[in-house]
Amino acid sequence: MVRLEREGDSFVLITGQTQKQDTSILIHAISELQKNSPDMARIKEGLLYLDNSAGIDIRREIKSVLQKALENKVVQTGL
């Protein structure tokens, strides 16, 4: 994967391997927004994840993660 990013008055060529990413990248990027000094690299990774993913796939992945967390909580508390 290769892309061109604007950095100030110039452009930077970003190269890297294409790999299957998971929603944790997006979740970590969003959690950075709540910090006083967020990690801009993580936020950029989250944006890249969104750029490289189909919307329906993201929704499906997030729904699956949320359902698993809820099921694990129910099992742990015995509800």
Side-chain angles (χ1 to χ4, degrees):
M1 179 175 106
V2 178
R3 74 176 193 290
L4 195 59
E5 269 190 17
R6 187 175 187 118
E7 297 256 339
D9 294 334
S10 60
F11 290 93
V12 178
L13 187 63
I14 308 294
T15 62
Q17 294 179 342
T18 56
Q19 59 186 15
K20 184 174 180 348
Q21 299 176 335
D22 61 16
T23 55
S24 66
I25 293 170
L26 181 59
I27 292 167
H28 289 297
I30 292 170
S31 69
E32 287 296 319
L33 299 174
Q34 296 177 350
K35 297 180 179 178
N36 288 334
S37 52
D39 182 351
M40 292 300 145
R42 278 206 166 170
I43 293 172
K44 284 183 180 182
E45 287 176 355
L47 287 170
L48 275 174
Y49 175 79
L50 288 173
D51 286 343
N52 296 324
S53 300
I56 299 223
D57 292 339
I58 293 172
R59 287 192 352 229
R60 191 174 300 135
E61 284 183 59
I62 292 172
K63 183 178 179 180
S64 173
V65 169
L66 291 172
Q67 283 178 326
K68 285 178 185 176
L70 184 59
E71 290 167 1
N72 288 340
K73 185 69 173 175
V74 168
V75 169
Q76 290 174 358
T77 61
L79 295 176

